[in-house]
Amino acid sequence: MTLMITASAATALSLLLIALSIDAINRRMALRMPFGDGGDPGLTAAIRAHGNLVEYMPIGLTMIGLLETNHAHPLALSIVAALFVLARVAHAQGIRGSHDKLTIGRSIGIVGTLLLLGVMAGWLGAMIARPVIGF
């Protein structure tokens, strides 16, 4: 079984991770700051944008993969996976866009991420429970 939806989401999220890594590295090099953030708000934002993706990407991809493996409806799962990727992009852009206030991109990104993780958890839970409960 090929997991094309999972592979597509992983590809997009990996490219985002590379972009965020390069951004953080470039900021570190410009500030000559190999460790920590030195109190620089731009570097702090770059570190957190990268770190936040690293925190949420594994569970998102795991849920997408488990749903795909358990034969979730491909179109519905493709939409959920695409929305998850878009939520992570919105969050990364939002956190990098402002260092001192909550931005709309950051808000949409984290709320979207948490809602989508909840949807995927409920969907997978229902798929698991279906044979047990008999519905």
Side-chain angles (χ1 to χ4, degrees):
M1 164 182 257
T2 60
L3 301 176
M4 295 307 293
I5 298 167
T6 306
S8 298
T11 298
L13 291 169
S14 294
L15 292 172
L16 178 59
L17 184 65
I18 291 167
L20 294 175
S21 296
I22 290 170
D23 182 48
I25 291 166
N26 285 339
R27 289 174 187 265
R28 284 188 181 284
M29 290 173 64
L31 294 169
R32 298 177 191 259
M33 185 71 51
F35 299 103
D37 61 18
D40 181 78
L43 180 53
T44 300
I47 291 168
R48 285 310 310 142
H50 174 266
N52 196 274
L53 179 60
V54 170
E55 293 163 3
Y56 285 98
M57 189 168 78
I59 188 63
L61 288 174
T62 299
M63 294 300 291
I64 293 164
L66 288 169
L67 284 162
E68 191 168 12
T69 300
N70 284 285
H71 309 290
H73 189 278
L75 179 58
L77 184 56
S78 294
I79 292 167
V80 167
L83 289 173
F84 183 79
V85 170
L86 290 174
R88 298 318 308 152
V89 169
H91 185 270
Q93 289 298 92
I95 201 169
R96 291 174 59 235
S98 176
H99 310 136
D100 60 350
K101 64 182 178 195
L102 189 61
T103 62
I104 190 73
R106 188 174 176 193
S107 298
I108 289 170
I110 193 59
V111 169
T113 296
L114 294 175
L115 285 174
L116 289 162
L117 287 174
V119 165
M120 289 189 282
W123 189 359
L124 188 58
M127 292 176 82
I128 294 166
R130 176 173 281 160
V132 175
I133 296 174
F135 68 91

